[in-house]
Amino acid sequence: GALALLGHLHETWGRQSSGLSGLRVLELGCGLPLLAGSLAALGAEVCATDHPRVLPKAEAAVTAEDGLLRGLPAAARERLRFRPLAWGKGSHPGNLSELCGFDGLVDLVVGADLVYDGFPVDAVHET
């Protein structure tokens, strides 16, 4: 999921003169933030969101010495921010750009491997 989406985004946005540089991306359900970290490494400003209980593990994947993305360049880490976001009606602020601390509106919302068998998808739709 995440690698296929990353490849598609790189092909689609990478053909533009600025590529992904400066693109404001909101990732829903970042989990281990492979997609978010990769987009940040390609120049996007990325807000990686997940449930508040999951977010510490996502952050540790970038910051811990043995983390999955421990080799992420410092410039990419500066373009990557983590924010708690629970799904469902009334569970988040109305302005997700503010939640992310972006200077402008979110340009692109992405999510990979968000739901699994038996997962109640209504909350994702409401968000």
Side-chain angles (χ1 to χ4, degrees), residues 60-85:
V62 174
T63 60
E65 287 185 25
D66 61 346
L68 177 69
L69 298 174
R70 64 187 170 273
L72 193 64
R77 285 194 306 261
E78 290 175 13
R79 289 189 293 271
L80 178 59
R81 60 203 72 177
F82 293 92
R83 300 291 189 270
L85 181 64

Side-chain angles (χ1 to χ4, degrees), residues 49-59 83-87 91:
T49 66
D50 213 319
H51 193 277
R53 290 187 309 242
V54 175
L55 215 51
K57 290 181 182 179
E59 291 179 285
R83 300 291 189 270
L85 181 64
W87 296 343
S91 63

Side-chain angles (χ1 to χ4, degrees), residues 3-63:
L3 293 177
L5 180 55
L6 178 62
H8 172 73
L9 293 172
H10 189 5
E11 279 291 314
T12 303
W13 292 91
R15 293 181 184 188
Q16 298 178 13
S17 61
S18 62
L20 293 164
S21 185
L23 191 69
R24 292 177 299 268
V25 179
L26 168 67
E27 183 181 9
L28 298 175
C30 68
L32 294 175
L34 177 61
L35 180 59
S38 298
L39 291 171
L42 291 170
E45 297 288 329
V46 183
C47 180
T49 66
D50 213 319
H51 193 277
R53 290 187 309 242
V54 175
L55 215 51
K57 290 181 182 179
E59 291 179 285
V62 174
T63 60

